[in-house]
Each structure stands twice: as C-alpha cells, then as structure tokens.
Amino acid sequence: MAQIVDIAVIGAGNRGCKYLSLLAQMPCHVRIAAVVEPNPRRAAKASAILVEAGLPDAPVFASCSEMMQNISPQAAVIATPEQLHHKQAMELLDKGVNILIEKPVAVTEEQCREIAEKAARNGLVAGVCHVLRYHPYFAKLCSLATDGSLGEVVSVSHRISVGIDRACHTFVRGPWGKPALTSPMLLSKCCHDMDIITAIVQSRAAVVRSVGGRCFFRSENRPAAAADRCVSCPVERNCSFSAVDLYRRRREWTAGFDPAPGDTLESEVNRQLAEGEYGRCVFACDNEAVDRQVVIAGFENGAVASLTMNLFTAEDNRDTHICLTGGEIRGNGEIIEAVPLRGDKAIYDYSDIASKPYHAGADNAVLEDFIEAVRNPEHKMLTNIAESIESHRICILADRNLDEV
Ligand SMILES: NC(=O)c1ccc[n+]([C@@H]2O[C@H](COP(=O)([O-])OP(=O)(O)OC[C@H]3O[C@@H](n4cnc5c(N)ncnc54)[C@H](O)[C@@H]3O)[C@@H](O)[C@H]2O)c1
C-alpha cells in the first residue's frame, strides 16, 4: 500500500480551503496533520471542511513556528499571501518539510532562488501551484506546441483578459491593488501565464521589455457626482464597477467575506458596503496596480513572445496564438485549432470542461503530483521549483524594464 503522507495546510483562505477540501477527499494518500491559520473565522472554516468530510479535526496553529514546536509534518501546502512565502518556505525546508507553494513563489527573484536552493540542498520537494500546467486545455496546448508535429515554435502571443469583476474585486479594491504589500500585478496574476509561455517555447528569456501602467482607476477619472462609497452613490446604478451591483444584487465574489459567528453573508455584504474596503468607489481606492500591461520577450532559442494583460474585459479568459515552422496553433480558452501550413486542421474541444471548478481538476492534479514526488524521490513534479521560477524571473524583469504609460 502507498505511504500515507502527513500534510499541513498553511493559510486557510481562498486557496488553502480549496486544497484542504481536495486533500480531505484523499484519505488513502494523505492525513491532514495540521492547519496553520491565525484568523479564527478562517480556522473555523477549515475545521468545518474536515468535519464535513468525516475526518477527525486537525490541530490549528497560529504560525508555522508554533506548528513546528508541536508537530513535524512530512509535507505542507503554503497558501498564504505571497509576502509570507519566503519566510515560511525557508522555515519549513529547514525542518525537513516538503513544500508545495502557491504562486507567486515569492516576491523577488533572489527569494525564489533561495527557496529552490534550500530545497535542493536538503533533498526536499518544492513544487509550485502553477495549476494551469495541469489544466487539460493548457496541457494540450503545450503538448501540441512541443511534440514536433508542427515544427519548431517561432512566436507566441498570449492574452489574459482578467474580467472587470475580478479586476475591481482583487486588483482595485482588494489587497493586490497595493503591489508593495502583496506583489506586482504581472507577477501575482500572470506568472502562471508566463510559465505556460516558457513551457511552449522551451527556452530561457534573453530579452524582456514591457509597457503599461494604471491609466483609468485614478481619482481624476472619478465622475463629479460619485460618492466615496457605492452604497451612497447617486450614479451607482449607471456604473459598471458598482460594488452594490457586484456583491449585493449579483452576489458574486463574496466567497472571501467571512461573516462573524452567528451572522449571515448578507449582513457581511452590508458591512463591507458600508465600511469595508470592498465598498469603496473604484476611483477612491488609492490603488497602484497596473490596469493593462504588455510584455515582449525574446528567447535564447530565437523564439519571441508577447503577453498582454488587461482588466477591461467583460469576461475573464485567456487566448493564445502560436506560430511554428510547420503551422499555427490557436486557442480561445476552450477550443484549440492546430493548423498545418499545408493540410487539414485538427480541432480539440474543451468547452465542456474549461471552466469547471478547481481549475477543471488541475488543483487536484497538482496535489497528486506533489504527493507522488514526496513519496517517490525518482518522481519529478511537472511544476518543480527549479524550472517554474523562470516565469517569475521574466515577470520581475518585465516590471524592472517597464515603460509606464
Ligand atoms: N493558483 C491560483 O490560481 C491562485 C488563485 C488565487 C490566489 N493565488 C495565490 O494564493 C495565495 C493565497 O491567496 P488567497 O486568495 O488564498 O488569499 P487569502 O487571503 O484568501 O488567504 C490567505 C490566508 O492566509 C492566512 N494567513 C495570514 N498570515 C498567516 C500566517 N502567518 N500563517 C498562516 N496563515 C496566514 C490569512 O488569514 C488567510 O486566511 C497568494 O499567494 C495568491 O497569489 C493563487
């Protein structure tokens, strides 16, 4: 029988609870050894997940250090805000714990390298939650580009349409609107897109340039009649960025709102609208994140790539166009067309699964890959840290070389 891995989940927020729910369905493979979460409401949410799955409650600690003073799990999933990743990863690796880290791995290239080097030195697994690599649509895109059937990749154009609801929630009103406290938009949102590009191109970047900036969500663009809060704004009904519409009328993007014990989601929505960060006018958020950015990169093997990230889209989606010496590959996020320069095109349709929960099974797949790597030293994770951080290096270089417009 395969060895059962003792695993801790560090950070029981949006991502951590997703991983916890999936791990709770794998009792033949893992035992939940602990949850590390300083926020009592989140800790209660984590305990409820275990109870619902019929598992014994796991000890909850307020910090990694406290956990390590009490127990030594074999593995841990780090799903905390990225500013904490480096410290927590180094601490866990020092104590012999294998780690799976949410993206971005860390906020500087040096921190990423230090984690990778320590994992290698200590003979431990360090995997990265670049979940798109495990998504069936993206896995097919990468394999079609690299299997040689259409020749060699010469260029990639990739677009990330963030979607205005996600954008306003996360990158304007939410914590990622302040890159100095979290990480730059490109690194936080697009490092796994850049990872897909490097998987397609199969080479290191030699040249990286970027243009972009924050053009629209600025105080000078605020309509004259607008109030500081959507709930008291006279022009709210005609505003595409209304928090009242998003959270109260449509009840979307509320998963991270934690009602106080005994309280309802509705009252938490009302509290956010009245006094929370998510009730603010998008033009009164003092945010600093870019709202569109283009990166161009030239690779050591001669391929070129462009990545365009944009907040101003109705839907969130990704699309990709790859040119190869023997044909083209076009992907619209659901359907991939492989078009040889001569001959018939092949069509691969993922529209029925592309937007399924848990990244269409990819969240589960990254966990399985990690668990297998912890059990079997011969097994190399698809998203091992040594290779995954090239994407971070490119994003960090792009921001360093950003021409602001
Ligand atoms: N792979 C993806 O598709 C994807 C999607 C969203 C976010 N992310 C990344 O996942 C990470 C977590 O994001 P999130 O959306 O889950 O954030 P979140 O804020 O919902 O969750 C983070 C949790 O960490 C907890 N925490 C804070 N300090 C802690 C500490 N010292 N020890 C333990 N826990 C602590 C917080 O209380 C919170 O519950 C980020 O790095 C983010 O960029 C990845």
Side-chain angles (χ1 to χ4, degrees), residues 316-385:
D316 62 4
N317 187 35
R318 295 174 155 96
D319 62 274
T320 315
H321 181 206
I322 307 165
C323 290
L324 303 97
T325 50
E328 281 173 77
I329 302 168
R330 305 183 201 119
N332 69 2
E334 295 187 341
I335 296 168
I336 302 172
E337 292 183 348
V339 191
L341 295 180
R342 299 272 178 275
D344 295 333
K345 69 179 172 192
I347 296 179
Y348 306 90
D349 188 345
Y350 292 87
S351 48
D352 55 339
I353 57 142
S355 54
K356 284 255 159 78
Y358 297 98
H359 291 105
D363 293 355
N364 204 60
V366 74
L367 288 172
E368 285 176 352
D369 198 19
F370 174 59
I371 292 160
E372 185 53 25
V374 171
R375 282 174 171 160
N376 174 7
E378 305 297 313
H379 181 83
K380 186 177 161 201
M381 272 191 82
L382 180 62
T383 54
N384 67 83
I385 193 165

Side-chain angles (χ1 to χ4, degrees), residues 279-342:
R280 295 175 298 165
C281 169
V282 286
F283 300 105
C285 286
D286 292 331
N287 62 314
E288 285 159 2
V290 299
D291 46 26
R292 76 278 184 259
Q293 186 166 353
V294 180
V295 180
I296 54 168
F299 289 81
E300 287 171 358
N301 67 359
V304 295
S306 69
L307 175 151
T308 303
M309 181 285 299
N310 214 316
L311 301 193
F312 304 97
T313 62
E315 307 282 330
D316 62 4
N317 187 35
R318 295 174 155 96
D319 62 274
T320 315
H321 181 206
I322 307 165
C323 290
L324 303 97
T325 50
E328 281 173 77
I329 302 168
R330 305 183 201 119
N332 69 2
E334 295 187 341
I335 296 168
I336 302 172
E337 292 183 348
V339 191
L341 295 180
R342 299 272 178 275

Side-chain angles (χ1 to χ4, degrees), residues 162 166-173 176-177 185 188-189 287 289:
V162 176
R166 177 193 296 274
C168 290
H169 176 80
T170 307
F171 298 102
V172 180
R173 296 189 174 99
W176 282 272
M185 170 72 181
S188 80
K189 176 72 184 152
N287 62 314

Side-chain angles (χ1 to χ4, degrees), residues 10-15 36-39 42 79-82 84-85 88 102-104 129 131 176 192 359:
I10 320 294
N14 156 36
R15 295 300 296 163
V36 176
E37 172 58 63
N39 176 331
R42 298 277 169 96
T80 50
E82 53 264 33
L84 303 177
H85 289 182
Q88 292 177 330
E102 249 309 347
K103 59 89 191 162
C129 296
V131 290
W176 282 272
H192 55 179
H359 291 105

